[in-house]
Amino acid sequence: EFSTHNSLYPVLRGSVYSEYESNTYYGLPWILKESGYKTIAFHGNEADFWNREAAYPYQGIDKFYSMKDFKTKDPIGYGVNDKEFFKQSVNYLKQEKELFYSFLVTLTSHHPFVIPEKYQKIRIKPEHKGTLFEDYIQSIHFTDEALGELIEKLKAEGLYENSIIT
């Protein structure tokens, strides 16, 4: 996310948000703010994970929603599963009355890629059972489904037509 916002590489070790917490980078969020957009970040983990809560204001982020802002009934991996995360994020976005830029950091497809069996839908060859490859494929499939649901929810809420999704 740091590279996306600032066209810079992060630090080689640790977190750029911790090492350079109060550096102000003139990146995408600041440029959009100057053009009249509200800037919003979403992350389904603790607000202080990688020091986001402290660093985001210096990145030009106006509002930050973290794990404490989500109802987490079925966490996967490091926090809110992507399906819950997207549904609840759209509920926040539909309350916005002005132009906005939002940035959503997902977690389900993050290493170690452990997806509960009830969500595993991809049939895997026997030789790949129990491998990191299987875990990765299952987690990416879950996130792909979540993205499809996100797009449908954006359409249902009237947010899709004026959105750019990357």
Side-chain angles (χ1 to χ4, degrees), residues 8 13 15 18 31 49-50 58-59 65 72 82 85 113 116-117 127 129-130 135 137 146 150 155 161:
L8 295 170
R13 302 222 191 300
S15 164
S18 295
I31 293 166
F49 185 77
W50 287 85
Y58 295 101
Q59 301 291 309
Y65 293 98
T72 310
D82 291 352
F85 177 67
F113 316 116
E117 194 169 325
E127 63 264 28
K129 283 297 219 183
D135 294 342
I137 293 298
L150 168 65
K155 288 177 181 177
E161 291 302 320

Side-chain angles (χ1 to χ4, degrees), residues 71-152:
K71 292 182 177 104
T72 310
K73 55 186 172 209
D74 195 10
I76 295 176
Y78 290 109
V80 182
N81 81 60
D82 291 352
K83 291 183 180 188
E84 290 179 5
F85 177 67
F86 286 149
K87 282 181 202 164
Q88 294 177 52
S89 295
V90 171
N91 290 337
Y92 286 118
L93 293 175
K94 70 183 184 182
Q95 297 172 25
E96 292 300 320
K97 304 296 182 217
E98 57 188 298
L99 293 173
F100 64 86
Y101 162 75
S102 62
F103 190 82
L104 288 75
V105 180
T106 63
L107 290 169
T108 303
S109 60
H110 193 289
H111 187 273
F113 316 116
V114 177
I115 300 295
E117 194 169 325
K118 67 181 178 180
Y119 294 124
Q120 295 180 14
K121 296 182 180 177
I122 302 295
R123 290 184 22 227
I124 299 292
K125 290 182 177 183
E127 63 264 28
H128 298 301
K129 283 297 219 183
T131 66
L132 181 62
F133 173 74
E134 177 189 21
D135 294 342
Y136 175 77
I137 293 298
Q138 299 292 356
S139 70
I140 291 301
H141 183 267
F142 185 91
T143 296
D144 282 347
E145 280 188 337
L147 284 167
E149 292 174 14
L150 168 65
I151 289 170
E152 292 307 312

